[in-house]
Amino acid sequence: MSAIGTLTTHHVGLNVTDLERSLAFYADVLGFEVLARGAEEGREHAFLGRDGALVLTLWQQAEGAHDPGRPGLHHLAFEAESLDRVRAAEAALTARGAVFAYEGVVAHREGAASGGIFFHDPDGTRLEISVPKGAETAPAPSGTAPACGFF
């Protein structure tokens, strides 16, 4: 056991290039509620959550697109209630013109029961919405390698 005790993830903060565009994506498309907004020295930020609990913070202080070749966030994964909800998210994202790493729901790896969709937000940050079971019949795009690995 660690000297600092048990740790859980409280929230994730993302740098974005356009707060309004990112709010439209994360709030309107993915269903997060805006808990608070603010601005300091011309830079804006927003706190997003579900049922009043903070999940994600957006900080408008970046330039350019997410670079997967640089150290930092690899991808951000959300767990859905069911495979039907994953498919509903896929339809909403498709209607919004989101860029997907794979076509449709895919398994996390060959033989896995877990799986989901893999896509990018407006700044190119890699995202996943998946379920722990129910994707047994979905294809595995990378064989035994994790589908969330090198997309």
Side-chain angles (χ1 to χ4, degrees):
M1 175 185 248
S2 168
I4 59 174
T6 302
L7 295 176
T8 60
T9 302
H10 181 263
H11 70 275
V12 174
L14 297 177
N15 284 335
V16 300
T17 59
D18 182 329
L19 184 63
E20 293 305 320
R21 180 180 69 174
S22 292
L23 280 173
F25 181 82
Y26 284 98
D28 298 347
V29 177
L30 296 184
F32 287 100
E33 60 189 84
V34 178
L35 302 176
R37 288 184 69 159
E40 294 179 23
E41 299 178 20
R43 296 188 302 185
E44 296 181 74
H45 64 276
F47 292 5
L48 306 177
R50 288 275 171 94
D51 301 322
L54 180 63
V55 175
L56 189 64
T57 59
L58 303 176
W59 303 91
Q60 183 175 299
Q61 61 183 6
E63 295 179 7
H66 174 77
D67 181 354
R70 296 192 60 166
L73 180 71
H74 180 273
H75 75 283
L76 177 57
F78 299 105
E79 185 175 307
E81 300 163 6
S82 68
L83 200 54
D84 286 340
R85 295 286 186 168
V86 173
R87 289 192 176 105
E90 178 186 17
L93 290 161
T94 299
R96 181 127 179 121
V99 176
F100 289 85
Y102 312 110
E103 187 175 329
V105 172
V106 297
H108 275 126
R109 67 179 191 297
E110 248 175 55
S114 63
I117 56 173
F118 301 86
F119 55 100
H120 298 84
D121 80 358
D123 286 308
T125 301
R126 300 185 294 189
L127 301 170
E128 167 187 347
I129 299 175
S130 61
V131 290
K133 59 183 177 178
E136 293 88 347
T137 61
S142 304
T144 57
C148 60
F150 298 103
F151 66 92

